[in-house]
Amino acid sequence: MIASRLKKITSLWVVIVLLLFVISIILGILMRLNQGDVIQLSPVTFYTDMTVHGLTMISIWYVAGMAAVNFIMERYVTTSKPANIIALVFTLIGVLMLWASTFIGKFHAGWTFLYPLPFKEMLKAWATPLFLFSIAVLGVGWLIWCVSLIAGMLKKYSLAQVFAWQYFRKGPKTETPPFILISMITLVGIVTCLLAAVILLVLLFAEYFSKGAFVNDALLIKNLTYFFGHTIANEMLYLGLAVIYELFAEISGKPKWKTTWYVALAWNCTLFFILTAFFHHLYMDFVQPEGLQILGQLASYLASLPAAGVTVFSIVVAIYRTKINWTLANLLFFIGVMGWVVGGLGAVIDATISNNFVLHNTLWVPAHFHTYNAMGNVLFSLGFFYWFSFQFSNKMDDNKLSALKLFFLVFGGIGFLAAFYIGGADSIPRRYSNYPDEFPLAKTLAIIGGSFATIYLIGILLFFVNISKRCVKILFSRSS
Amino acid sequence: MCKNLILPFILIAFCKFTVYCQPTSGWQEEVNIYKQIYNAPITLINGEQTSIDKLAEKKPVIIALVYTRCTGICSPLLLQLKESLQLNKNNNNYTVLVVSFDSRDLIPDMRQMAHLFNLNNNSHWNFAITDSINRLISSIGFKPVWNNTIKQFDHDALLVGVNSQGYISKKLVGLRNEKELELMIGSINNVYTPTYRLPGQNTLFSCFNYNPITGKNKPGMGLLLIALPAILSILLLVVINKFVHRKEEV
């Protein structure tokens, strides 16, 4: 029996995430329209929007995955409600601080806040420290949440069991549910990248407050930035996958998926390789030793292939020539996995050193990460939100409306992404607030991208209204 | 002749052990890098009228800014440059242009200077004066300061590398070894040099520490910091595991 308090907290997470998502999409559309010369934003406003858009998206889809994992984990172990609430409060405070530093203080160094950009003059002197503090607040809340969930799992499972190492021997006596294995692998990865963020912030604060007496090493800061940024952006996808491993079969009316030796091996490999894949962000940093560049390419392949392989295999086995109870939730999971795979392929293409010489900092980069986020991770979480909101309601959804919502999402999403991919293949650079005439296709593609993103937004708004109504009911219900 | 050479030798020895690589105005080699040098009209000691761009078009140029009445770094700079270039056998595609930044210097003064260093007949070397010295040194970022007490300029020992397109591709402040001159010759010939680190006293936790004498990088503390999060998470995992199970036992 899921505790009423957890239902309410999860409902609150769902509403907040969807609300912030709508705002962030609007910022994204405004950026594309500005690039297409449809509207005129000042460069500072454009980069402020870009900073808010990127960081808010990362934050909300990370917490969405965490909220889903926390909710389902209650089936196996007792989770800490105070930790969940602390994370919620810290996330809200962190996002508000972030928005104040950007919208009021005009901090506009991008979501990667690459060194030494944060130390350049912003509109307000307090913008940089407030921005750094906002990241610190978010990180502390999330770290507490992660540690509490890890502690919860370790109370029930031993270290070997939680990583499913017993499957590497013959005839394992104890069972580790795939959900527990993937959650643990992911949470350990998240803790590691949050610790990287702690070191990063300490170094940035040290430079900021020393007033020039201490200067950071640019290579170290870039490595730490991507250790944190790249890893968390990937780990949040795995939170969604943990949910799929638990719910896909259940919603489809199939037997629960079980851990096997190859599932255990694939996910254990993923833990190691995902922590070293970030080196592919430094291919253009020629001071980085060549060995780390090669490790970056190998880890990028090895981090994505085993996890994707076993997940796709499991889904194909589950649906191939069998009768499936298709609902909007498992359809979203299914399409989300396809989006994740396509985006993953785009990422692996870019992470190949020889290709990166051509694709680096072109629109190919937002193309692939928007694919596995907008058409992957977002759908994982939407699937969970939809399932969650119907768990505590007797009303069934209208099938026609479901099809319409899905159409808007898929049609809008594909068009929006295609504009990015074509731009990337045409070597159009990313992060330009305005495109010069040397890129004749850029403006047209930006308008096309912005238009399709608007269709995607309509789909999200339909989901938002539908799911939020139910979640607000749960939030204010008296039932246990 | 002998006197003119002994003094520079003593000065070189002094500089190497005391003020090695120490410029008067801090490390500013990066100032105006990749900017176009002012195309100053110049008069060579053979009377030829030309300009920096025209000279650079023929061969990339290393510019040494000196003045003939200098009792300080100018002679050691030229002597060291001459010796280092003699050791360089790899790439001869360059010209050295010695330009006076003192408006009192005339062609005969520069001719005398070339003669003293036995460089008047060396095809790699040109000695010249210009009437646009202020614009030239301003485009380089070179700031000599006149000291009225000693009647001398307070200035850096500066070499400026200019490629065939007239861009400043590298600067060397102070008396530098032949390896660094090789890098400069490579740079003005548009040969890509991966990296070298500018020295800085306040940079802690570098991933690599560059040794300007050996020209090699050694792993630094920063690399350890990149590995630290993974080590800390393993420790954290072990601590949480111990903690939750001890609590259960209690």
Side-chain angles (χ1 to χ4, degrees):
Chain A
M1 189 72 181
I2 305 293
S4 163
R5 218 162 135 206
L6 182 59
K7 276 193 292 186
K8 288 179 190 286
I9 303 168
T10 310
S11 303
L12 197 53
W13 275 120
V14 172
V15 176
I16 290 169
V17 164
L18 285 174
L19 183 65
L20 293 178
F21 187 40
V22 170
I23 296 169
S24 301
I25 295 176
I26 292 169
L27 289 178
I29 293 171
L30 289 178
M31 285 193 290
R32 285 305 260 163
L33 293 180
N34 183 68
Q35 288 176 326
D37 260 354
V38 177
I39 58 168
Q40 263 76 45
L41 301 175
S42 74
V44 172
T45 308
F46 177 88
Y47 289 109
T48 303
D49 289 358
M50 195 177 84
T51 309
V52 177
H53 172 82
L55 261 169
T56 311
M57 286 292 195
I58 292 284
S59 304
I60 58 176
W61 295 110
Y62 163 73
V63 294
M66 283 292 286
V69 161
N70 194 148
F71 183 79
I72 293 170
M73 198 174 284
E74 195 73 13
R75 293 175 169 189
Y76 298 99
V77 299
T78 309
T79 60
S80 161
K81 277 64 177 182
N84 199 335
I85 293 168
I86 287 171
L88 179 71
V89 173
F90 275 50
T91 301
L92 284 176
I93 295 172
V95 168
L96 289 176
M97 285 167 75
L98 167 72
W99 285 14
S101 73
T102 47
F103 287 133
I104 305 169
K106 295 291 174 197
F107 181 89
H108 54 281
W111 89 267
T112 46
F113 51 99
L114 276 178
Y115 181 84
L117 277 181
F119 299 113
K120 299 289 170 194
E121 203 65 33
M122 302 295 166
L123 186 70
K124 306 277 184 195
W126 49 261
T128 293
L130 186 66
F131 174 83
L132 296 177
F133 275 117
S134 75
I135 305 291
V137 169
L138 289 169
V140 168
W142 297 348
L143 198 58
I144 292 169
W145 201 4
C146 285
V147 169
S148 84
L149 291 180
I150 289 175
M153 283 188 279
L154 285 174
K155 267 184 200 168
K156 185 171 174 183
Y157 302 94
S158 70
L159 260 180
Q161 286 168 349
V162 87
F163 286 107
W165 291 339
Q166 73 272 27
Y167 290 92
F168 301 141
R169 283 190 235 111
K170 272 190 177 175
K173 286 176 186 146
T174 49
E175 219 175 271
T176 304
F179 174 79
I180 292 292
L181 165 68
I182 301 167
S183 297
M184 188 65 181
I185 295 279
T186 309
L187 289 171
V188 171
I190 292 169
V191 166
T192 310
C193 70
L194 289 177
L195 289 173
V198 170
I199 298 171
L200 172 70
L201 288 175
V202 167
L203 290 173
L204 291 176
F205 277 127
E207 178 163 343
Y208 183 82
F209 289 113
S210 75
K211 299 198 185 302
F214 166 77
V215 176
N216 276 299
D217 180 78
L219 185 65
L220 170 64
I221 296 295
K222 190 166 180 187
N223 270 294
L224 286 172
T225 304
Y226 280 108
F227 194 158
F228 159 61
H230 174 269
T231 312
I232 200 160
N234 277 260
E235 296 287 4
M236 65 187 195
L237 278 158
Y238 298 153
L239 292 171
L241 286 178
V243 173
I244 289 179
Y245 271 73
E246 179 72 14
L247 293 184
F248 189 83
E250 184 181 315
I251 297 170
S252 308
K254 296 278 160 192
K256 263 197 163 186
W257 292 354
K258 296 204 168 179
T259 304
T260 55
W261 69 267
Y262 53 85
V263 170
L265 182 66
W267 282 100
N268 275 274
C269 285
T270 299
L271 172 61
F272 172 74
F273 290 118
I274 199 65
L275 295 179
T276 46
F278 75 90
F279 288 128
H280 66 223
H281 282 274
L282 287 101
Y283 287 157
M284 292 293 150
D285 296 76
F286 41 79
V287 277
Q288 185 90 333
E290 208 173 276
L292 294 183
Q293 311 285 35
I294 294 165
L295 177 63
Q297 178 169 327
L298 291 176
S300 305
Y301 290 158
L302 295 169
S304 49
L305 293 180
V310 293
T311 307
V312 172
F313 176 73
S314 304
I315 287 197
V316 168
V317 166
I319 63 167
Y320 185 65
R321 287 190 175 177
T322 54
K323 202 173 171 234
I324 291 279
N325 178 22
W326 286 109
T327 67
L328 194 52
N330 55 5
L331 260 174
L332 285 167
F333 287 152
F334 182 73
I335 299 168
V337 169
M338 288 198 291
W340 170 55
V341 171
V342 173
L345 285 172
V348 167
I349 288 170
D350 193 24
T352 306
I353 293 172
S354 55
N355 298 339
N356 194 267
F357 282 116
V358 183
L359 297 173
H360 190 88
N361 263 348
T362 65
L363 287 178
W364 190 272
V365 182
H368 82 254
F369 68 65
H370 277 95
T371 311
Y372 58 65
N373 281 316
M375 292 302 285
N377 197 25
V378 170
L379 303 198
F380 297 164
S381 290
L382 274 186
F384 168 77
F385 292 171
Y386 184 82
W387 171 83
F388 169 81
S389 69
F390 273 90
Q391 277 289 292
F392 312 102
S393 161
N394 298 323
K395 266 191 179 177
M396 290 306 290
D397 201 12
D398 180 358
N399 277 339
K400 277 185 188 168
L401 190 66
S402 295
L404 188 68
K405 280 189 278 193
L406 213 53
F407 169 77
F408 279 130
L409 274 194
V410 175
F411 182 68
I414 289 174
F416 158 68
L417 294 169
F420 270 145
Y421 278 112
I422 295 165
D426 196 33
S427 291
I428 296 170
R430 65 169 173 155
R431 292 178 178 158
Y432 272 40
S433 62
N434 301 92
Y435 284 111
D437 295 335
E438 281 76 10
F439 301 107
L441 203 57
K443 287 179 185 172
T444 314
L445 285 174
I447 296 168
I448 294 170
S451 310
F452 275 97
T454 311
I455 298 171
Y456 181 87
L457 175 64
I458 295 168
I460 291 296
L461 281 170
L462 291 173
F463 271 104
F464 174 57
V465 172
N466 185 259
I467 293 172
S468 296
K469 266 200 291 190
R470 295 175 202 281
C471 285
V472 169
K473 270 186 197 164
I474 296 168
L475 202 56
F476 293 105
S477 68
R478 284 186 178 183
S479 62
S480 59
Chain B
M1 177 72 185
C2 193
K3 195 175 144 193
N4 285 322
L5 285 174
I6 289 169
L7 182 64
F9 266 116
I10 294 169
L11 278 167
I12 288 175
F14 178 75
C15 292
K16 278 202 167 181
F17 288 103
T18 55
V19 290
Y20 181 72
C21 295
Q22 293 299 313
T24 53
S25 50
W27 289 98
Q28 292 184 332
E29 288 180 358
E30 67 275 24
V31 173
N32 291 5
I33 289 288
Y34 306 127
K35 297 219 168 128
Q36 199 120 27
I37 195 164
Y38 174 64
N39 183 23
I42 52 171
T43 309
L44 301 179
I45 52 173
N46 61 9
E48 186 189 336
Q49 301 281 333
T50 182
S51 71
I52 289 183
D53 276 6
K54 279 184 190 166
L55 215 57
E57 263 175 37
K58 292 180 198 164
K59 273 184 178 182
V61 181
I62 297 171
I63 298 175
L65 290 158
V66 298
Y67 68 110
T68 59
R69 289 166 185 79
C70 180
T71 56
I73 199 71
C74 291
S75 294
L77 173 71
L78 291 183
L79 203 63
Q80 166 104 348
L81 182 62
K82 181 186 166 188
E83 284 180 355
S84 300
L85 292 177
Q86 279 168 350
L87 293 171
N88 167 51
K89 306 282 180 207
N90 297 330
N91 189 346
N92 284 320
N93 192 37
Y94 64 88
T95 307
V96 180
L97 174 65
V98 182
V99 188
S100 170
F101 60 84
D102 184 351
S103 55
R104 293 171 301 171
D105 280 334
L106 302 170
I107 289 291
D109 299 314
M110 294 306 284
R111 201 175 286 143
Q112 168 76 2
M113 188 177 223
H115 180 71
L116 282 174
F117 286 94
N118 200 19
L119 290 165
N120 43 344
N121 292 318
N122 190 321
S123 61
H124 277 301
W125 288 71
N126 287 303
F127 285 73
I129 57 167
T130 175
D131 54 8
S132 309
I133 192 64
N134 287 336
R135 294 182 73 176
L136 177 64
I137 61 174
S138 147
S139 73
I140 293 168
F142 178 66
K143 292 170 186 163
V145 179
W146 177 252
N147 185 329
N148 212 23
T149 316
I150 56 170
K151 305 288 181 205
Q152 290 281 303
F153 282 101
D154 184 9
H155 68 99
D156 288 337
L158 178 69
L159 297 176
V160 185
V162 179
N163 70 7
S164 297
Q165 290 79 42
Y167 285 93
I168 300 169
S169 67
K170 191 169 171 67
K171 284 159 107 181
L172 290 176
V173 178
L175 300 176
R176 310 290 276 269
N177 59 29
E178 55 272 17
K179 275 193 174 177
E180 286 169 299
L181 268 170
E182 271 179 33
L183 286 178
M184 175 174 263
I185 294 167
S187 162
I188 58 178
N189 279 287
N190 299 330
V191 174
Y192 175 68
T193 306
T195 185
Y196 61 93
R197 190 185 171 81
L198 292 172
Q201 298 298 320
N202 51 358
T203 309
L204 298 174
F205 311 125
S206 296
C207 292
F208 297 97
N209 296 315
Y210 177 70
N211 184 336
I213 296 165
T214 61
K216 285 184 178 168
N217 273 314
K218 277 188 176 172
M221 273 286 286
L223 283 181
L224 196 65
L225 285 184
I226 298 172
L228 193 62
I231 298 165
L232 287 177
S233 356
I234 294 169
L235 287 175
L236 187 68
L237 207 59
V238 173
V239 169
I240 295 172
N241 190 44
K242 287 245 175 208
F243 179 76
V244 292
H245 288 120
R246 188 182 291 172
K247 224 176 162 186
E248 270 176 9
E249 282 166 21
V250 171

